[in-house]
mmCIF file of all heavy atoms in Angstrom:
data_model
loop_
_atom_site.group_PDB
_atom_site.id
_atom_site.type_symbol
_atom_site.label_atom_id
_atom_site.label_comp_id
_atom_site.label_asym_id
_atom_site.label_seq_id
_atom_site.Cartn_x
_atom_site.Cartn_y
_atom_site.Cartn_z
ATOM 1 N N LEU A 7 0.821 -1.227 0.004
ATOM 2 C CA LEU A 7 0.023 0.000 0.004
ATOM 3 C C LEU A 7 0.845 1.274 0.006
ATOM 4 O O LEU A 7 0.296 2.363 0.099
ATOM 5 C CB LEU A 7 -0.926 -0.036 1.226
ATOM 6 C CG LEU A 7 -1.871 -1.226 1.303
ATOM 7 C CD1 LEU A 7 -2.646 -1.200 2.592
ATOM 8 C CD2 LEU A 7 -2.828 -1.246 0.109
ATOM 9 N N ASN A 8 2.159 1.127 -0.118
ATOM 10 C CA ASN A 8 3.130 2.230 -0.170
ATOM 11 C C ASN A 8 3.009 3.123 1.082
ATOM 12 O O ASN A 8 3.002 4.325 0.998
ATOM 13 C CB ASN A 8 2.860 3.075 -1.406
ATOM 14 C CG ASN A 8 4.156 3.759 -1.931
ATOM 15 O OD1 ASN A 8 5.249 3.455 -1.445
ATOM 16 N ND2 ASN A 8 4.014 4.656 -2.876
ATOM 17 N N GLN A 9 2.958 2.412 2.248
ATOM 18 C CA GLN A 9 2.900 3.114 3.533
ATOM 19 C C GLN A 9 4.230 2.935 4.242
ATOM 20 O O GLN A 9 4.945 1.960 4.000
ATOM 21 C CB GLN A 9 1.763 2.527 4.355
ATOM 22 C CG GLN A 9 0.397 2.681 3.743
ATOM 23 C CD GLN A 9 -0.699 1.924 4.491
ATOM 24 O OE1 GLN A 9 -0.411 1.064 5.295
ATOM 25 N NE2 GLN A 9 -1.952 2.240 4.216
ATOM 26 N N PRO A 10 4.535 3.834 5.139
ATOM 27 C CA PRO A 10 5.805 3.717 5.919
ATOM 28 C C PRO A 10 5.744 2.534 6.870
ATOM 29 O O PRO A 10 4.696 2.201 7.406
ATOM 30 C CB PRO A 10 5.911 5.027 6.672
ATOM 31 C CG PRO A 10 4.477 5.523 6.751
ATOM 32 C CD PRO A 10 3.816 5.096 5.489
ATOM 33 N N LEU A 11 6.888 1.864 6.996
ATOM 34 C CA LEU A 11 6.986 0.740 7.921
ATOM 35 C C LEU A 11 7.139 1.249 9.360
ATOM 36 O O LEU A 11 7.835 2.233 9.646
ATOM 37 C CB LEU A 11 8.197 -0.134 7.587
ATOM 38 C CG LEU A 11 8.137 -0.901 6.266
ATOM 39 C CD1 LEU A 11 9.513 -1.541 5.981
ATOM 40 C CD2 LEU A 11 7.076 -1.976 6.313
ATOM 41 N N LYS A 12 6.421 0.607 10.289
ATOM 42 C CA LYS A 12 6.553 0.976 11.683
ATOM 43 C C LYS A 12 7.851 0.536 12.302
ATOM 44 O O LYS A 12 8.383 1.149 13.226
ATOM 45 C CB LYS A 12 5.361 0.404 12.476
ATOM 46 C CG LYS A 12 3.999 0.995 12.079
ATOM 47 C CD LYS A 12 2.871 0.412 12.871
ATOM 48 C CE LYS A 12 1.533 0.963 12.440
ATOM 49 N NZ LYS A 12 0.395 0.364 13.190
ATOM 50 N N THR A 13 8.373 -0.595 11.799
ATOM 51 C CA THR A 13 9.672 -1.111 12.252
ATOM 52 C C THR A 13 10.490 -1.490 10.994
ATOM 53 O O THR A 13 9.920 -1.730 9.949
ATOM 54 C CB THR A 13 9.491 -2.352 13.141
ATOM 55 O OG1 THR A 13 8.788 -3.373 12.381
ATOM 56 C CG2 THR A 13 8.738 -2.029 14.403
ATOM 57 N N PRO A 14 11.802 -1.501 11.115
ATOM 58 C CA PRO A 14 12.649 -1.858 9.960
ATOM 59 C C PRO A 14 12.272 -3.278 9.423
ATOM 60 O O PRO A 14 11.932 -4.180 10.209
ATOM 61 C CB PRO A 14 14.050 -1.823 10.480
ATOM 62 C CG PRO A 14 13.987 -0.922 11.686
ATOM 63 C CD PRO A 14 12.616 -1.147 12.303
ATOM 64 N N TRP A 15 12.361 -3.384 8.139
ATOM 65 C CA TRP A 15 12.076 -4.737 7.526
ATOM 66 C C TRP A 15 13.194 -5.684 7.885
ATOM 67 O O TRP A 15 14.325 -5.288 8.157
ATOM 68 C CB TRP A 15 11.933 -4.611 6.016
ATOM 69 C CG TRP A 15 11.421 -5.877 5.382
ATOM 70 C CD1 TRP A 15 12.027 -6.661 4.510
ATOM 71 C CD2 TRP A 15 10.144 -6.441 5.617
ATOM 72 N NE1 TRP A 15 11.238 -7.743 4.151
ATOM 73 C CE2 TRP A 15 10.063 -7.620 4.826
ATOM 74 C CE3 TRP A 15 9.014 -6.104 6.402
ATOM 75 C CZ2 TRP A 15 8.944 -8.447 4.821
ATOM 76 C CZ3 TRP A 15 7.894 -6.949 6.403
ATOM 77 C CH2 TRP A 15 7.882 -8.111 5.599
ATOM 78 N N ARG A 16 12.892 -6.971 7.947
ATOM 79 C CA ARG A 16 13.880 -7.969 8.344
ATOM 80 C C ARG A 16 15.046 -8.010 7.399
ATOM 81 O O ARG A 16 14.907 -7.847 6.194
ATOM 82 C CB ARG A 16 13.227 -9.340 8.484
ATOM 83 C CG ARG A 16 12.718 -9.895 7.233
ATOM 84 C CD ARG A 16 12.715 -11.416 7.252
ATOM 85 N NE ARG A 16 11.994 -11.935 6.124
ATOM 86 C CZ ARG A 16 10.733 -12.299 6.103
ATOM 87 N NH1 ARG A 16 10.009 -12.207 7.205
ATOM 88 N NH2 ARG A 16 10.139 -12.731 5.030
ATOM 89 N N PRO A 17 16.261 -8.247 7.903
ATOM 90 C CA PRO A 17 17.449 -8.269 7.094
ATOM 91 C C PRO A 17 17.763 -9.561 6.417
ATOM 92 O O PRO A 17 18.779 -9.662 5.714
ATOM 93 C CB PRO A 17 18.530 -7.896 8.121
ATOM 94 C CG PRO A 17 18.045 -8.506 9.380
ATOM 95 C CD PRO A 17 16.567 -8.375 9.378
ATOM 96 N N TRP A 18 16.903 -10.575 6.573
ATOM 97 C CA TRP A 18 17.197 -11.897 5.951
ATOM 98 C C TRP A 18 15.873 -12.615 5.667
ATOM 99 O O TRP A 18 14.808 -12.295 6.240
ATOM 100 C CB TRP A 18 18.051 -12.747 6.872
ATOM 101 C CG TRP A 18 17.510 -12.954 8.270
ATOM 102 C CD1 TRP A 18 17.794 -12.187 9.356
ATOM 103 C CD2 TRP A 18 16.574 -13.899 8.695
ATOM 104 N NE1 TRP A 18 17.079 -12.639 10.463
ATOM 105 C CE2 TRP A 18 16.323 -13.738 10.104
ATOM 106 C CE3 TRP A 18 15.884 -14.951 8.055
ATOM 107 C CZ2 TRP A 18 15.473 -14.486 10.832
ATOM 108 C CZ3 TRP A 18 14.973 -15.741 8.830
ATOM 109 C CH2 TRP A 18 14.783 -15.496 10.193
ATOM 110 N N CYS A 19 15.917 -13.546 4.757
ATOM 111 C CA CYS A 19 14.782 -14.469 4.541
ATOM 112 C C CYS A 19 15.339 -15.877 4.451
ATOM 113 O O CYS A 19 16.523 -16.110 4.236
ATOM 114 C CB CYS A 19 13.967 -14.104 3.302
ATOM 115 S SG CYS A 19 14.834 -14.251 1.751
ATOM 116 N N LEU A 20 14.423 -16.844 4.554
ATOM 117 C CA LEU A 20 14.845 -18.244 4.746
ATOM 118 C C LEU A 20 13.961 -19.219 4.016
ATOM 119 O O LEU A 20 12.748 -18.947 3.841
ATOM 120 C CB LEU A 20 14.874 -18.552 6.233
ATOM 121 C CG LEU A 20 15.150 -20.003 6.680
ATOM 122 C CD1 LEU A 20 15.967 -19.976 7.988
ATOM 123 C CD2 LEU A 20 13.851 -20.796 6.945
ATOM 124 N N THR A 21 14.518 -20.324 3.626
ATOM 125 C CA THR A 21 13.706 -21.478 3.185
ATOM 126 C C THR A 21 14.472 -22.720 3.452
ATOM 127 O O THR A 21 15.647 -22.679 3.933
ATOM 128 C CB THR A 21 13.303 -21.356 1.714
ATOM 129 O OG1 THR A 21 12.317 -22.357 1.431
ATOM 130 C CG2 THR A 21 14.501 -21.560 0.782
ATOM 131 N N GLN A 22 13.899 -23.895 3.162
ATOM 132 C CA GLN A 22 14.552 -25.144 3.437
ATOM 133 C C GLN A 22 13.908 -26.263 2.644
ATOM 134 O O GLN A 22 12.797 -26.125 2.101
ATOM 135 C CB GLN A 22 14.521 -25.497 4.920
ATOM 136 C CG GLN A 22 13.113 -25.976 5.422
ATOM 137 C CD GLN A 22 13.141 -26.435 6.851
ATOM 138 O OE1 GLN A 22 12.874 -25.639 7.765
ATOM 139 N NE2 GLN A 22 13.447 -27.704 7.102
ATOM 140 N N TYR A 23 14.636 -27.364 2.549
ATOM 141 C CA TYR A 23 14.059 -28.648 2.108
ATOM 142 C C TYR A 23 14.681 -29.765 2.947
ATOM 143 O O TYR A 23 15.929 -29.872 2.988
ATOM 144 C CB TYR A 23 14.280 -28.856 0.632
ATOM 145 C CG TYR A 23 13.428 -30.021 0.133
ATOM 146 C CD1 TYR A 23 12.040 -29.901 0.069
ATOM 147 C CD2 TYR A 23 13.982 -31.275 -0.182
ATOM 148 C CE1 TYR A 23 11.241 -30.912 -0.305
ATOM 149 C CE2 TYR A 23 13.179 -32.304 -0.591
ATOM 150 C CZ TYR A 23 11.782 -32.153 -0.668
ATOM 151 O OH TYR A 23 10.998 -33.181 -1.024
ATOM 152 N N TYR A 24 13.841 -30.507 3.597
ATOM 153 C CA TYR A 24 14.235 -31.520 4.544
ATOM 154 C C TYR A 24 15.120 -30.876 5.611
ATOM 155 O O TYR A 24 14.675 -29.933 6.277
ATOM 156 C CB TYR A 24 14.905 -32.665 3.819
ATOM 157 C CG TYR A 24 15.204 -33.899 4.690
ATOM 158 C CD1 TYR A 24 14.248 -34.437 5.548
ATOM 159 C CD2 TYR A 24 16.487 -34.512 4.666
ATOM 160 C CE1 TYR A 24 14.485 -35.559 6.333
ATOM 161 C CE2 TYR A 24 16.771 -35.583 5.458
ATOM 162 C CZ TYR A 24 15.772 -36.112 6.302
ATOM 163 O OH TYR A 24 16.075 -37.174 7.049
ATOM 164 N N LYS A 25 16.358 -31.352 5.790
ATOM 165 C CA LYS A 25 17.213 -30.791 6.828
ATOM 166 C C LYS A 25 18.057 -29.614 6.344
ATOM 167 O O LYS A 25 18.698 -28.932 7.154
ATOM 168 C CB LYS A 25 18.124 -31.891 7.381
ATOM 169 C CG LYS A 25 17.345 -32.977 8.127
ATOM 170 C CD LYS A 25 18.314 -34.045 8.657
ATOM 171 C CE LYS A 25 17.583 -35.175 9.371
ATOM 172 N NZ LYS A 25 18.516 -36.195 9.860
ATOM 173 N N GLN A 26 18.141 -29.449 5.034
ATOM 174 C CA GLN A 26 18.989 -28.424 4.505
ATOM 175 C C GLN A 26 18.267 -27.071 4.467
ATOM 176 O O GLN A 26 17.115 -26.948 3.905
ATOM 177 C CB GLN A 26 19.493 -28.751 3.090
ATOM 178 C CG GLN A 26 20.550 -27.810 2.579
ATOM 179 C CD GLN A 26 21.135 -28.213 1.257
ATOM 180 O OE1 GLN A 26 20.554 -29.017 0.532
ATOM 181 N NE2 GLN A 26 22.291 -27.704 0.916
ATOM 182 N N ARG A 27 18.883 -26.025 5.002
ATOM 183 C CA ARG A 27 18.292 -24.698 5.059
ATOM 184 C C ARG A 27 19.209 -23.703 4.356
ATOM 185 O O ARG A 27 20.422 -23.887 4.356
ATOM 186 C CB ARG A 27 18.055 -24.288 6.512
ATOM 187 C CG ARG A 27 17.133 -25.281 7.244
ATOM 188 C CD ARG A 27 17.099 -25.022 8.778
ATOM 189 N NE ARG A 27 16.279 -25.984 9.433
ATOM 190 C CZ ARG A 27 16.032 -26.008 10.715
ATOM 191 N NH1 ARG A 27 16.552 -25.029 11.517
ATOM 192 N NH2 ARG A 27 15.267 -26.945 11.262
ATOM 193 N N VAL A 28 18.621 -22.631 3.865
ATOM 194 C CA VAL A 28 19.384 -21.537 3.325
ATOM 195 C C VAL A 28 18.818 -20.244 3.850
ATOM 196 O O VAL A 28 17.586 -20.095 4.002
ATOM 197 C CB VAL A 28 19.370 -21.538 1.761
ATOM 198 C CG1 VAL A 28 20.088 -22.723 1.188
ATOM 199 C CG2 VAL A 28 17.977 -21.431 1.211
ATOM 200 N N VAL A 29 19.692 -19.306 4.103
ATOM 201 C CA VAL A 29 19.300 -17.984 4.575
ATOM 202 C C VAL A 29 20.120 -16.967 3.797
ATOM 203 O O VAL A 29 21.288 -17.210 3.480
ATOM 204 C CB VAL A 29 19.528 -17.863 6.084
ATOM 205 C CG1 VAL A 29 20.962 -18.016 6.472
ATOM 206 C CG2 VAL A 29 18.958 -16.565 6.593
ATOM 207 N N ARG A 30 19.498 -15.844 3.450
ATOM 208 C CA ARG A 30 20.233 -14.845 2.685
ATOM 209 C C ARG A 30 19.902 -13.444 3.172
ATOM 210 O O ARG A 30 18.829 -13.199 3.763
ATOM 211 C CB ARG A 30 19.898 -14.929 1.175
ATOM 212 C CG ARG A 30 18.445 -14.579 0.831
ATOM 213 C CD ARG A 30 18.325 -14.208 -0.617
ATOM 214 N NE ARG A 30 18.982 -12.932 -0.954
ATOM 215 C CZ ARG A 30 19.053 -12.467 -2.154
ATOM 216 N NH1 ARG A 30 18.538 -13.101 -3.189
ATOM 217 N NH2 ARG A 30 19.652 -11.304 -2.365
ATOM 218 N N ASP A 31 20.814 -12.523 2.959
ATOM 219 C CA ASP A 31 20.586 -11.106 3.173
ATOM 220 C C ASP A 31 20.463 -10.486 1.799
ATOM 221 O O ASP A 31 20.300 -11.170 0.771
ATOM 222 C CB ASP A 31 21.592 -10.486 4.073
ATOM 223 C CG ASP A 31 23.030 -10.626 3.585
ATOM 224 O OD1 ASP A 31 23.230 -10.811 2.368
ATOM 225 O OD2 ASP A 31 23.977 -10.541 4.422
ATOM 226 N N GLU A 32 20.639 -9.179 1.694
ATOM 227 C CA GLU A 32 20.479 -8.521 0.418
ATOM 228 C C GLU A 32 21.557 -8.980 -0.598
ATOM 229 O O GLU A 32 21.317 -8.909 -1.814
ATOM 230 C CB GLU A 32 20.515 -6.989 0.592
ATOM 231 C CG GLU A 32 19.295 -6.441 1.260
ATOM 232 C CD GLU A 32 19.284 -4.914 1.307
ATOM 233 O OE1 GLU A 32 20.285 -4.335 0.823
ATOM 234 O OE2 GLU A 32 18.305 -4.343 1.838
ATOM 235 N N ARG A 33 22.659 -9.404 -0.106
ATOM 236 C CA ARG A 33 23.801 -9.719 -1.006
ATOM 237 C C ARG A 33 24.276 -11.173 -0.916
ATOM 238 O O ARG A 33 24.562 -11.790 -1.948
ATOM 239 C CB ARG A 33 24.963 -8.757 -0.686
ATOM 240 C CG ARG A 33 26.212 -8.969 -1.510
ATOM 241 C CD ARG A 33 27.250 -7.921 -1.250
ATOM 242 N NE ARG A 33 28.484 -8.161 -1.963
ATOM 243 C CZ ARG A 33 29.603 -7.411 -1.896
ATOM 244 N NH1 ARG A 33 29.561 -6.343 -1.170
ATOM 245 N NH2 ARG A 33 30.690 -7.751 -2.600
ATOM 246 N N PHE A 34 24.357 -11.698 0.308
ATOM 247 C CA PHE A 34 24.989 -12.989 0.472
ATOM 248 C C PHE A 34 23.993 -14.082 0.834
ATOM 249 O O PHE A 34 22.904 -13.809 1.345
ATOM 250 C CB PHE A 34 26.053 -12.906 1.587
ATOM 251 C CG PHE A 34 27.224 -12.044 1.255
ATOM 252 C CD1 PHE A 34 27.236 -10.691 1.649
ATOM 253 C CD2 PHE A 34 28.312 -12.528 0.515
ATOM 254 C CE1 PHE A 34 28.301 -9.892 1.367
ATOM 255 C CE2 PHE A 34 29.360 -11.710 0.209
ATOM 256 C CZ PHE A 34 29.389 -10.392 0.612
ATOM 257 N N LYS A 35 24.395 -15.361 0.572
ATOM 258 C CA LYS A 35 23.535 -16.496 0.838
ATOM 259 C C LYS A 35 24.374 -17.597 1.494
ATOM 260 O O LYS A 35 25.461 -17.933 1.012
ATOM 261 C CB LYS A 35 22.927 -17.003 -0.498
ATOM 262 C CG LYS A 35 22.110 -18.248 -0.377
ATOM 263 C CD LYS A 35 21.554 -18.612 -1.745
ATOM 264 C CE LYS A 35 20.675 -19.843 -1.721
ATOM 265 N NZ LYS A 35 20.168 -20.151 -3.088
ATOM 266 N N LEU A 36 23.826 -18.155 2.562
ATOM 267 C CA LEU A 36 24.525 -19.181 3.314
ATOM 268 C C LEU A 36 23.644 -20.422 3.452
ATOM 269 O O LEU A 36 22.508 -20.340 3.796
ATOM 270 C CB LEU A 36 24.890 -18.678 4.731
ATOM 271 C CG LEU A 36 25.618 -19.684 5.640
ATOM 272 C CD1 LEU A 36 26.979 -20.088 5.067
ATOM 273 C CD2 LEU A 36 25.721 -19.105 7.031
ATOM 274 N N TYR A 37 24.255 -21.569 3.106
ATOM 275 C CA TYR A 37 23.577 -22.843 3.303
ATOM 276 C C TYR A 37 23.921 -23.434 4.683
ATOM 277 O O TYR A 37 25.041 -23.232 5.185
ATOM 278 C CB TYR A 37 24.010 -23.872 2.237
ATOM 279 C CG TYR A 37 23.550 -23.602 0.822
ATOM 280 C CD1 TYR A 37 23.984 -22.562 0.068
ATOM 281 C CD2 TYR A 37 22.601 -24.447 0.276
ATOM 282 C CE1 TYR A 37 23.522 -22.334 -1.215
ATOM 283 C CE2 TYR A 37 22.131 -24.269 -1.043
ATOM 284 C CZ TYR A 37 22.597 -23.184 -1.774
ATOM 285 O OH TYR A 37 22.140 -22.991 -3.030
ATOM 286 N N SER A 38 22.996 -24.243 5.212
ATOM 287 C CA SER A 38 23.316 -24.886 6.496
ATOM 288 C C SER A 38 24.432 -25.916 6.331
ATOM 289 O O SER A 38 25.051 -26.352 7.292
ATOM 290 C CB SER A 38 22.043 -25.562 7.047
ATOM 291 O OG SER A 38 21.517 -26.492 6.124
ATOM 292 N N THR A 39 24.663 -26.324 5.102
ATOM 293 C CA THR A 39 25.746 -27.273 4.819
ATOM 294 C C THR A 39 27.081 -26.537 4.608
ATOM 295 O O THR A 39 28.091 -27.166 4.338
ATOM 296 C CB THR A 39 25.438 -28.084 3.543
ATOM 297 O OG1 THR A 39 24.914 -27.214 2.541
ATOM 298 C CG2 THR A 39 24.382 -29.165 3.884
ATOM 299 N N GLY A 40 27.065 -25.217 4.706
ATOM 300 C CA GLY A 40 28.350 -24.450 4.736
ATOM 301 C C GLY A 40 28.657 -23.593 3.516
ATOM 302 O O GLY A 40 29.473 -22.703 3.612
ATOM 303 N N GLU A 41 28.032 -23.867 2.375
ATOM 304 C CA GLU A 41 28.343 -23.093 1.182
ATOM 305 C C GLU A 41 27.910 -21.629 1.372
ATOM 306 O O GLU A 41 26.893 -21.348 1.941
ATOM 307 C CB GLU A 41 27.651 -23.667 -0.060
ATOM 308 C CG GLU A 41 28.072 -25.098 -0.390
ATOM 309 C CD GLU A 41 27.183 -26.122 0.295
ATOM 310 O OE1 GLU A 41 26.560 -25.818 1.321
ATOM 311 O OE2 GLU A 41 27.131 -27.280 -0.258
ATOM 312 N N PHE A 42 28.730 -20.714 0.842
ATOM 313 C CA PHE A 42 28.530 -19.297 1.031
ATOM 314 C C PHE A 42 28.762 -18.573 -0.283
ATOM 315 O O PHE A 42 29.856 -18.754 -0.917
ATOM 316 C CB PHE A 42 29.446 -18.788 2.135
ATOM 317 C CG PHE A 42 29.304 -17.348 2.473
ATOM 318 C CD1 PHE A 42 28.101 -16.850 2.963
ATOM 319 C CD2 PHE A 42 30.390 -16.456 2.345
ATOM 320 C CE1 PHE A 42 27.946 -15.525 3.335
ATOM 321 C CE2 PHE A 42 30.248 -15.120 2.683
ATOM 322 C CZ PHE A 42 29.034 -14.645 3.172
ATOM 323 N N TYR A 43 27.788 -17.768 -0.731
ATOM 324 C CA TYR A 43 27.887 -17.154 -2.060
ATOM 325 C C TYR A 43 27.564 -15.668 -1.999
ATOM 326 O O TYR A 43 26.747 -15.225 -1.206
ATOM 327 C CB TYR A 43 26.951 -17.807 -3.048
ATOM 328 C CG TYR A 43 27.197 -19.252 -3.282
ATOM 329 C CD1 TYR A 43 26.533 -20.263 -2.576
ATOM 330 C CD2 TYR A 43 28.190 -19.674 -4.174
ATOM 331 C CE1 TYR A 43 26.808 -21.592 -2.784
ATOM 332 C CE2 TYR A 43 28.462 -21.018 -4.387
ATOM 333 C CZ TYR A 43 27.756 -21.982 -3.681
ATOM 334 O OH TYR A 43 28.032 -23.322 -3.893
ATOM 335 N N ASP A 44 28.243 -14.908 -2.868
ATOM 336 C CA ASP A 44 27.940 -13.497 -3.044
ATOM 337 C C ASP A 44 27.020 -13.409 -4.279
ATOM 338 O O ASP A 44 27.466 -13.453 -5.418
ATOM 339 C CB ASP A 44 29.239 -12.694 -3.289
ATOM 340 C CG ASP A 44 28.990 -11.237 -3.437
ATOM 341 O OD1 ASP A 44 27.811 -10.820 -3.570
ATOM 342 O OD2 ASP A 44 29.952 -10.437 -3.420
ATOM 343 N N LEU A 45 25.729 -13.314 -4.050
ATOM 344 C CA LEU A 45 24.759 -13.297 -5.091
ATOM 345 C C LEU A 45 24.842 -12.088 -6.004
ATOM 346 O O LEU A 45 24.366 -12.111 -7.164
ATOM 347 C CB LEU A 45 23.320 -13.433 -4.559
ATOM 348 C CG LEU A 45 23.060 -14.745 -3.790
ATOM 349 C CD1 LEU A 45 21.657 -14.698 -3.193
ATOM 350 C CD2 LEU A 45 23.185 -15.949 -4.697
ATOM 351 N N SER A 46 25.416 -10.985 -5.501
ATOM 352 C CA SER A 46 25.497 -9.770 -6.305
ATOM 353 C C SER A 46 26.424 -9.955 -7.492
ATOM 354 O O SER A 46 26.216 -9.318 -8.526
ATOM 355 C CB SER A 46 26.009 -8.619 -5.435
ATOM 356 O OG SER A 46 27.329 -8.794 -5.043
ATOM 357 N N GLU A 47 27.418 -10.811 -7.375
ATOM 358 C CA GLU A 47 28.314 -11.042 -8.449
ATOM 359 C C GLU A 47 28.325 -12.490 -8.976
ATOM 360 O O GLU A 47 28.971 -12.793 -9.976
ATOM 361 C CB GLU A 47 29.737 -10.647 -8.068
ATOM 362 C CG GLU A 47 30.313 -11.419 -6.903
ATOM 363 C CD GLU A 47 31.668 -10.922 -6.475
ATOM 364 O OE1 GLU A 47 31.859 -9.695 -6.389
ATOM 365 O OE2 GLU A 47 32.531 -11.800 -6.198
ATOM 366 N N ASP A 48 27.611 -13.343 -8.275
ATOM 367 C CA ASP A 48 27.604 -14.808 -8.604
ATOM 368 C C ASP A 48 26.231 -15.369 -8.439
ATOM 369 O O ASP A 48 25.986 -16.266 -7.606
ATOM 370 C CB ASP A 48 28.618 -15.509 -7.700
ATOM 371 C CG ASP A 48 28.755 -17.012 -8.004
ATOM 372 O OD1 ASP A 48 28.434 -17.389 -9.160
ATOM 373 O OD2 ASP A 48 29.186 -17.739 -7.121
ATOM 374 N N PRO A 49 25.253 -14.885 -9.263
ATOM 375 C CA PRO A 49 23.849 -15.335 -9.074
ATOM 376 C C PRO A 49 23.663 -16.815 -9.369
ATOM 377 O O PRO A 49 22.659 -17.424 -8.924
ATOM 378 C CB PRO A 49 23.069 -14.457 -10.029
ATOM 379 C CG PRO A 49 24.061 -14.033 -11.043
ATOM 380 C CD PRO A 49 25.370 -13.880 -10.309
ATOM 381 N N LEU A 50 24.548 -17.431 -10.137
ATOM 382 C CA LEU A 50 24.419 -18.858 -10.471
ATOM 383 C C LEU A 50 25.115 -19.707 -9.416
ATOM 384 O O LEU A 50 25.109 -20.955 -9.560
ATOM 385 C CB LEU A 50 25.024 -19.118 -11.857
ATOM 386 C CG LEU A 50 24.331 -18.439 -13.029
ATOM 387 C CD1 LEU A 50 25.014 -18.764 -14.332
ATOM 388 C CD2 LEU A 50 22.830 -18.766 -13.095
ATOM 389 N N GLU A 51 25.722 -19.104 -8.424
ATOM 390 C CA GLU A 51 26.340 -19.811 -7.291
ATOM 391 C C GLU A 51 27.419 -20.785 -7.771
ATOM 392 O O GLU A 51 27.423 -21.946 -7.488
ATOM 393 C CB GLU A 51 25.285 -20.549 -6.478
ATOM 394 C CG GLU A 51 24.197 -19.592 -5.928
ATOM 395 C CD GLU A 51 23.091 -20.294 -5.173
ATOM 396 O OE1 GLU A 51 23.372 -21.283 -4.445
ATOM 397 O OE2 GLU A 51 21.950 -19.913 -5.304
ATOM 398 N N LEU A 52 28.367 -20.240 -8.526
ATOM 399 C CA LEU A 52 29.464 -21.079 -9.077
ATOM 400 C C LEU A 52 30.714 -21.011 -8.213
ATOM 401 O O LEU A 52 31.597 -21.877 -8.359
ATOM 402 C CB LEU A 52 29.790 -20.564 -10.484
ATOM 403 C CG LEU A 52 28.636 -20.647 -11.517
ATOM 404 C CD1 LEU A 52 29.091 -20.063 -12.860
ATOM 405 C CD2 LEU A 52 28.116 -22.076 -11.693
ATOM 406 N N HIS A 53 30.799 -19.990 -7.335
ATOM 407 C CA HIS A 53 32.068 -19.804 -6.577
ATOM 408 C C HIS A 53 31.752 -19.773 -5.096
ATOM 409 O O HIS A 53 31.343 -18.758 -4.525
ATOM 410 C CB HIS A 53 32.731 -18.486 -7.028
ATOM 411 C CG HIS A 53 32.921 -18.392 -8.493
ATOM 412 N ND1 HIS A 53 33.874 -19.152 -9.174
ATOM 413 C CD2 HIS A 53 32.326 -17.641 -9.446
ATOM 414 C CE1 HIS A 53 33.812 -18.883 -10.462
ATOM 415 N NE2 HIS A 53 32.858 -17.961 -10.678
ATOM 416 N N ASN A 54 31.998 -20.893 -4.454
ATOM 417 C CA ASN A 54 31.778 -21.034 -2.991
ATOM 418 C C ASN A 54 32.902 -20.234 -2.257
ATOM 419 O O ASN A 54 34.084 -20.560 -2.414
ATOM 420 C CB ASN A 54 31.800 -22.501 -2.635
ATOM 421 C CG ASN A 54 31.548 -22.722 -1.127
ATOM 422 O OD1 ASN A 54 31.201 -21.791 -0.401
ATOM 423 N ND2 ASN A 54 31.670 -23.974 -0.712
#
C-alpha cells in the first residue's frame, strides 16, 4: 500500500528442504551445509 513501515524490515529471509536450510541477506547467501555465495556477483552460485 506504499505506507511507511513501523519497524525496519527484516534483514534476511529463509527457506529449506528436509534438513537443508538456506538464509540470505540482500547480498549474500549461506547454506546450512556451509556453502557461502555472493549473489550480487555470482547469481548462479558457481564460486563457494
Side-chain angles (χ1 to χ4, degrees):
L7 301 175
N8 210 9
Q9 298 171 346
L11 292 171
K12 295 180 181 179
T13 58
W15 190 244
R16 63 153 170 263
W18 55 267
C19 65
L20 173 144
T21 190
Q22 74 175 92
Y23 192 70
Y24 187 49
K25 294 179 181 179
Q26 190 175 18
R27 302 171 183 181
V28 294
V29 62
R30 66 160 291 178
D31 57 23
E32 290 185 358
R33 179 174 174 181
F34 295 94
K35 176 178 180 180
L36 178 64
Y37 287 72
S38 57
T39 45
E41 299 91 336
F42 183 60
Y43 297 97
D44 183 349
L45 296 175
S46 67
E47 60 184 42
D48 183 22
L50 298 179
E51 303 177 38
L52 300 177
H53 307 289
N54 182 9

